């Protein structure tokens, strides 16, 4: 006790500060840092139920010759490249339109868009599965009765449609959060700047381009990065709807990690896939930070 | 490194509360008063009491404790979706159970991975080896003959046909489903198609119920999935290619229904769906499924005819389930001995053993248990089908790795990405690689 009293106020402040941080650091180390390190380390092993043999970078070499992994990487990238811009643009559009509405209307629509986010993904996916069901689904029922199609379409089982069906579901479940963030960001803009620009004769497009857009740029950066990461990690939709099929045409890296680890029991190989995914996400995020930061 | 990883996994499980405190305390041996506590993990194979999972298992434990009061058994129910992952995670973290009630596919894999007690001598000591069909003991063993599962009961997988659909189509009684041929199946399928019914589903969403399509397709032309000594998959023979061609033809002509968005569970649900009577048959059915789906069947009014799989000579080679117990080697002799007593009681007790077999809705592995369903026509039909059991291949090395290639190949066949011959050759070549892994 006396020793603590002898410490300088700055040292005591440091100790207290780290003491407050300790629980967070403990959980971070236990649930984030150590699993990451363990995952990276075991990716260098032929690690199955029966074996645990160091193989160096063999898993990584095997990955880049694995056509299923390449297909899954391509699908994942396609999912990101298509859905992220749509999610960002739609969210921005919806937020701009809703922000001008009466607060009650705004609240109702915020609730509607946010509903898929707060509803459990399994429940949402089950509803979509019913919609897309080839034999009892409402989509085929409507299209058949309207004469648009002659035979049931297997929306989730045909390579031409399956990934698009996934993208549609992904978009509907992903726009809620960005819309809320954009509405908040728009609320934080300096209204006097907007009004001054309008008085000076600026068009609505000019107001948006030169005042609103720069003002919400930090939010855009956050939305783009988070949406990209979430899309790269798309798993539950795939697992519950298509199991990666048909013929791995909707398989994503995250789903393949699951299948490799828990269906094929190749833990080391699955970890190698996880490491590659982390690297790809890191690179994408870096590029996005560069692009949006420079515009800021 | 593996030990470090195991320690970390245990730490994670403890911290997240994934492993319940009771489980950990349950595996502590109370040697001071000669009491032993063991944990029993069970899939819901036994009949449920009052619709409550685990209630039947508790009643079995109560009966066991009347004879063995010093052995405390804690039961924990698994479900078929998450159970395998939970077990694997627990085994990797060293927090697995002492006894598991499951099937050979997973159990033999745990055994060859070093988690289980070898039961080769145990099945001889209890007399099970000499009192059962050698095929079932072989199904409970690895390729080197080590027995890892103590089998309790067994039943065949077969098909279900809607009696209502046949009646409506005016075709009831035209085929003997206990021995129908491929020719009869195709003929009936075409007639049912003309009456507006959809063909039998060739489902390929994932590995759920994939044994159904393997048995159905291979039997159509008398092909075999694997050779008798389990050393090579044989789905690239001329008969097998012909089987894939027949399936493709059926899907193209509409008397079979290819579905890459359904698995067996979906196909069965579609068959028994009260709002849907478009499917006249489903190629995976069993006594247990009949029991599980009774509420749906009552709601839809569908009466099911149990049928064997169609084959060229009417004698299909059937796949089958085996229910049994694994004992985990948790490095505690007292626990292992207690677990053996428990398994022996559940499976071999003259009264409780028979009750348990009946609770699985299957046939006893022990021949001396005799006919447990006297006068039951349906059970007699199924009992007769047990003579058509094929070679049990769910325990071959790399079986888990083979399954994605099977449904993946079927997907290629359904979507037309590969020809029947390409499918046959691709699947067999990839499956044989998994055997060698």
């Amino acid at each position: 006790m006396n020793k603590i009293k002898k410490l300088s106020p700055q040292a005591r402040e440091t100790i207290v500060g780290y003491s407050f941080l300790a629980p967070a650091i403990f959980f971070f180390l236990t649930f984030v840092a150590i699993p990451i390190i363990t995952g990276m380390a075991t990716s260098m092993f032929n690690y199955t139920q029966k074996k645990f043999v160091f193989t160096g970078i063999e898993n990584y070499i095997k990955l880049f010759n694995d056509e299923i992994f390449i297909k899954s990487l391509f699908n994942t990238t396609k999912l990101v490249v298509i859905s992220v811009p749509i999610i960002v643009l739609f969210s921005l559009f919806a937020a701009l339109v809703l922000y001008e509405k009466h607060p009650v209307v705004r609240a109702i629509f915020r609730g509607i868009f946010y509903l898929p986010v707060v509803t459990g993904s399994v429940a949402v996916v089950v509803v979509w599965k019913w919609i897309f069901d080839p034999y009892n689904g409402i989509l085929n029922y409507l299209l058949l009765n309207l004469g648009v199609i002659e035979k049931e379409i297997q929306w989730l089982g045909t390579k031409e449609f399956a990934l698009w069906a996934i993208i549609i579901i992904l978009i509907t479940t992903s726009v809620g959060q960005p819309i809320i963030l954009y509405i908040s960001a728009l609320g934080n803009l300096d209204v006097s700047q907007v009004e001054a620009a309008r008085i000076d004769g600026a068009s609505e497009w000019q107001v948006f381009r030169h005042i609103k857009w720069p003002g919400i740029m930090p939010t855009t950066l956050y939305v783009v990065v988070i949406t990209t990461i979430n899309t790269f990690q798309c798993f539950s939709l795939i697992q519950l709807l298509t199991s990666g099929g048909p013929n791995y045409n909707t398989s994503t890296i995250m789903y393949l990690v699951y299948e490799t680890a828990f269906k094929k029991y190749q833990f080391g190989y699955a970890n190698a896939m996880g490491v590659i995914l982390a690297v790809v996400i890191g690179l994408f995020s870096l590029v996005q930070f560069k692009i949006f930061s420079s515009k800021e | 490194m593996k030990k470090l990883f195991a320690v970390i996994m245990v730490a994670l499980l403890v911290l997240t509360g994934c492993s319940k405190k009771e489980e950990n305390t349950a595996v502590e041996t109370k040697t001071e008063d000669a009491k032993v506590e063991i944990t029993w993990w069970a899939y819901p194979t036994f009949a449920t009491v009052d619709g409550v999972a685990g209630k039947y298992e508790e009643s079995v434990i109560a009966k066991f404790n009347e004879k063995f009061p010093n052995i405390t058994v804690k039961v924990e129910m698994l479900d078929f979706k998450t159970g395998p992952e939970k077990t694997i995670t627990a085994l990797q973290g060293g927090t697995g159970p002492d006894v598991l009630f499951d099937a050979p596919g997973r159990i033999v894999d745990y055994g060859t991975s070093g988690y289980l007690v070898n039961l080769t001598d145990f099945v001889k000591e209890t007399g099970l080896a000499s009192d059962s069909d050698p095929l079932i003991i072989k199904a409970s063993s690895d390729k080197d003959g080590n027995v890892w599962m103590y089998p309790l009961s067994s039943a065949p997988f077969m098909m279900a046909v809607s009696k209502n659909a046949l009646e409506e189509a005016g075709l009831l009684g035209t085929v003997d489903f206990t021995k129908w041929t491929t020719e009869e199946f195709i003929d009936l399928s075409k007639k049912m198609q003309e009456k507006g019914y959809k063909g039998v589903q060739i489902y390929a969403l994932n590995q759920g119920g994939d044994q159904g399509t393997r048995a159905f397709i291979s039997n159509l032309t008398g092909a075999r999935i694997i050779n008798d000594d389990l050393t090579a998959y044989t789905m690239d023979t001329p008969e097998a290619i012909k089987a894939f061609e027949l399936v493709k033809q059926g899907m193209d002509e509409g008397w079979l229904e290819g579905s890459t968005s359904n698995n067996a569970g979906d196909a069965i649900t579609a068959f028994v769906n009260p709002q849907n009577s478009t499917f006249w048959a489903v190629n995976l059915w069993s006594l247990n499924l009949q029991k599980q789906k009774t509420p749906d069947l009552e709601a839809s009014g569908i009466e099911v005819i149990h049928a064997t799989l169609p084959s060229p000579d009417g004698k299909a080679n059937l796949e089958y389930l085996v229910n049994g117990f694994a004992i985990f080697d948790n490095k505690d002799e007292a626990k292992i001995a207690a677990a053996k007593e428990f398994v022996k009681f559940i499976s071999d007790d003259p009264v409780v053993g028979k009750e348990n077999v009946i609770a699985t809705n299957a046939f006893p592995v022990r021949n001396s248990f005799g006919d447990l369903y006297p006068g039951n026509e349906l059970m007699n039909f199924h009992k007769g089908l047990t003579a058509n059991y094929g070679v049990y291949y769910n325990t071959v090395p790399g079986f888990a790795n083979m399954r994605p290639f099977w449904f993946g190949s079927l997907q290629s066949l359904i979507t037309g990405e590969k020809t029947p011959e390409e499918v046959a050759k691709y699947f067999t070549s990839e499956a044989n690689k998994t055997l060698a892994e």
Side-chain angles (χ1 to χ4, degrees):
Chain A
M1 197 66 175
N2 287 336
K3 279 182 184 175
I4 292 174
K5 279 184 180 173
K6 281 177 191 171
L7 291 172
S8 67
Q10 197 180 353
R12 270 187 285 174
E13 203 172 287
T14 307
I15 290 170
V16 171
Y18 277 110
S19 302
F20 277 112
L21 273 176
I25 290 174
F26 172 76
F27 281 102
F28 174 77
L29 288 175
T30 309
F31 296 113
V32 181
I34 294 173
I36 286 175
I37 294 164
T38 314
M40 288 172 75
T42 51
S43 73
M44 304 271 193
F45 285 76
N46 179 5
Y47 177 17
T48 64
Q49 282 193 90
K50 300 178 178 72
K51 293 178 191 164
F52 194 72
V53 182
F54 181 75
T55 53
I57 59 165
E58 197 178 290
N59 280 336
Y60 292 93
I61 295 168
K62 195 174 153 193
L63 269 183
F64 288 102
N65 293 310
D66 182 343
E67 61 180 73
I68 293 171
F69 175 76
I70 302 291
K71 204 169 187 177
S72 301
L73 185 62
F74 176 73
N75 290 337
T76 313
T77 311
K78 193 171 166 185
L79 214 56
V80 170
V81 169
I82 294 170
S83 63
V84 172
I86 294 174
I87 290 167
V88 173
L89 290 174
F90 179 81
S91 306
L92 183 58
F93 169 75
L96 285 167
V97 172
L98 286 177
Y99 187 70
E100 304 294 332
K101 302 290 178 200
H102 187 275
V104 176
V105 177
R106 203 160 62 200
I108 290 169
F109 277 96
R110 269 203 298 206
I112 291 170
F113 284 119
Y114 208 66
L115 206 57
V117 181
V118 292
T119 312
S121 60
V122 175
V124 173
V125 168
V126 166
V127 172
W128 277 104
K129 198 171 166 111
W130 286 339
I131 292 170
F132 285 129
D133 186 285
Y135 308 110
N136 300 309
I138 193 165
L139 186 59
N140 271 346
Y141 176 80
L142 284 175
L143 294 177
L144 279 169
N145 282 288
L146 291 170
V148 180
I149 56 173
E150 290 175 353
K151 195 176 180 287
E152 294 102 342
I153 291 176
Q154 301 209 15
W155 299 102
L156 297 168
T158 312
K159 69 171 182 176
E160 289 80 11
F161 298 114
L163 198 63
W164 291 103
I166 296 287
I167 287 171
I168 288 169
I169 303 169
L170 189 66
I171 290 169
T172 58
T173 54
S174 305
V175 293
Q177 189 98 26
I179 289 173
I180 302 288
L181 291 170
Y182 272 129
I183 289 175
S184 301
L186 289 169
N188 290 333
L189 291 178
D190 188 348
V191 185
S192 61
Q193 283 186 1
V194 176
E195 286 171 352
R198 281 178 182 152
I199 290 167
D200 288 343
S203 66
E204 281 308 306
W205 167 248
Q206 286 170 321
V207 169
F208 172 76
R209 175 71 189 84
H210 298 290
I211 299 173
K212 289 182 179 176
W213 178 244
I216 58 173
M217 187 55 87
T219 306
T220 302
L221 175 62
Y222 176 79
V223 167
V224 168
V225 171
I226 292 299
T227 310
T228 302
I229 292 172
N230 288 342
T231 310
F232 263 118
Q233 294 181 344
C234 179
F235 166 71
S236 58
L237 286 185
I238 307 294
Q239 193 214 7
L240 294 165
L241 288 173
T242 64
S243 298
N247 205 16
Y248 291 98
N249 279 301
T250 59
S251 175
T252 59
I253 301 288
M254 277 305 283
Y255 180 76
L256 201 61
V257 168
Y258 164 79
E259 185 182 276
T260 308
F262 289 105
K263 300 289 178 198
K264 298 180 176 176
Y265 308 132
Q266 296 171 353
F267 305 113
Y269 194 49
N271 282 342
M273 290 179 190
V275 170
I276 296 292
L277 179 64
V279 170
V280 172
I281 291 175
L283 288 174
F284 260 78
S285 301
L286 194 70
V287 171
Q288 287 167 342
F289 267 102
K290 286 276 179 200
I291 292 170
F292 288 97
S293 300
S294 60
K295 280 184 181 174
E296 195 181 359
Chain B
M1 178 57 84
K2 194 171 183 178
K3 278 183 182 170
L4 173 69
F5 186 63
V7 169
I8 291 163
M9 290 295 285
V10 172
L12 286 172
L13 284 168
V14 170
L15 284 165
T16 51
C18 284
S19 72
K20 291 175 186 169
K21 201 178 175 185
E22 307 92 76
E23 289 169 30
N24 294 334
T25 53
V27 296
E28 286 168 14
T29 311
K30 294 177 180 175
T31 48
E32 67 274 13
D33 55 2
K35 282 193 171 179
V36 182
E37 291 190 5
I38 56 172
T39 51
W40 172 26
W41 286 7
Y43 285 92
T45 303
F46 285 128
T48 54
V49 177
D50 303 331
V52 181
K55 203 169 174 181
Y56 181 85
E57 285 77 0
E58 292 286 2
S59 72
V60 172
I61 293 169
K63 287 172 191 165
F64 173 69
N65 282 145
E66 285 171 15
K67 281 194 175 179
F68 299 93
N70 287 345
I71 301 173
T72 305
V73 183
K74 301 275 184 186
V75 66
E76 190 175 326
M77 299 305 294
L78 302 173
D79 67 76
F80 287 107
K81 270 194 175 171
T82 61
E85 287 158 33
K86 181 179 174 173
T87 309
I88 284 289
T89 311
L91 293 177
Q92 294 289 322
T95 57
D98 297 297
V99 177
L100 176 70
F101 186 41
D102 196 359
R106 283 183 286 267
I107 285 180
V108 172
D109 203 26
Y110 301 148
T112 53
S113 302
Y115 295 115
L116 301 183
V117 173
N118 190 322
L119 301 178
T120 312
D121 292 334
F122 188 54
V123 294
K124 288 176 190 158
E125 285 164 22
T126 60
L128 182 69
S130 55
D131 188 23
S132 57
D133 183 348
L135 208 62
I136 303 289
I137 298 294
K138 194 179 172 189
S140 308
S141 315
D142 64 23
K143 64 183 172 61
D144 299 322
N146 298 302
V147 181
W148 298 108
M149 189 180 86
Y150 198 82
L152 170 74
S153 61
S154 152
F157 288 115
M158 15 76 77
M159 277 187 75
V161 177
S162 165
K163 189 179 173 186
N164 314 48
L166 291 178
E167 260 174 354
E168 203 178 284
L171 294 165
L172 186 64
T174 57
V175 176
D176 180 357
F177 294 109
T178 62
K179 51 180 182 183
W180 62 338
T181 62
T182 306
E183 204 178 320
E184 287 173 319
F185 167 74
I186 295 171
D187 185 49
L188 186 59
S189 296
K190 287 180 177 173
K191 284 177 179 162
M192 293 303 285
Q193 185 193 2
E194 283 168 17
K195 299 284 181 184
Y197 286 93
K198 289 197 178 299
V200 168
Q201 278 196 56
I202 304 296
Y203 39 84
L205 170 66
N206 52 32
Q207 61 192 42
D210 57 350
Q211 76 271 30
T213 46
R214 277 196 297 276
F216 176 77
I217 292 172
S218 58
N219 270 302
L220 283 175
T221 57
R224 293 289 172 261
I225 297 288
I226 196 166
N227 62 9
D228 284 347
D229 51 3
L230 304 175
T231 52
Y233 287 96
T234 52
M235 281 305 281
D236 57 352
T237 59
E239 291 81 26
I241 294 171
K242 208 173 144 195
F244 284 119
E245 283 170 349
L246 199 56
V247 169
K248 180 70 180 157
Q249 184 193 336
M251 292 188 297
D252 289 345
E253 292 176 4
W255 47 270
L256 285 178
E257 183 76 13
S259 177
T260 45
S261 48
N262 279 355
N263 62 16
D266 301 319
I268 290 163
T269 302
F271 174 70
V272 301
N273 189 349
Q275 274 105 42
N276 179 7
S277 54
T278 51
F279 291 97
W280 66 274
V282 65
N283 63 21
L284 182 64
W285 199 251
S286 68
L287 288 164
N288 257 348
L289 276 167
Q290 176 78 31
K291 203 167 190 176
Q292 282 171 27
K293 298 294 176 188
T294 298
D296 291 310
L297 292 170
E298 281 171 358
S300 60
I302 294 174
E303 206 176 320
V304 171
I305 299 172
H306 291 225
T308 186
L309 298 175
S311 59
D313 58 359
K315 289 177 188 166
N317 206 36
L318 297 178
E319 300 222 356
Y320 50 100
L321 63 89
V322 186
N323 305 305
F325 297 89
I327 297 174
F328 284 82
D329 184 4
N330 288 328
K331 311 295 175 202
D332 184 330
E333 288 305 321
K335 278 176 182 297
I336 291 170
K340 281 184 175 175
E341 283 297 351
F342 180 61
V343 168
K344 204 161 79 176
F345 175 81
I346 283 191
S347 311
D348 298 344
D349 183 271
V351 179
V352 179
K354 287 177 185 175
E355 286 172 0
N356 289 336
V357 171
I358 292 169
T360 62
N361 210 23
F363 301 100
V365 170
R366 268 194 183 275
N367 295 328
S368 58
F369 277 8
D371 184 4
L372 300 182
Y373 310 97
N376 186 323
E377 204 178 310
L378 179 65
M379 295 306 277
N380 278 341
F381 166 55
H382 279 261
K383 178 73 181 162
L385 291 179
T386 61
N388 295 348
Y389 278 174
V391 58
Y392 194 90
Y393 59 92
N394 293 19
T395 54
V396 297
F399 176 76
N401 290 349
M402 175 277 289
R403 299 176 77 183
F405 288 116
W406 174 257
F407 69 78
S409 301
L410 277 191
Q411 287 174 352
S412 303
L413 185 73
I414 295 167
T415 58
E417 284 176 71
K418 286 192 174 82
T419 64
E421 189 173 349
E422 284 169 348
V423 166
K425 291 190 170 159
Y426 172 76
F427 166 71
T428 309
S429 146
E430 294 300 324
N432 279 331
K433 283 181 202 165
T434 67
L435 262 182
E437 276 168 12

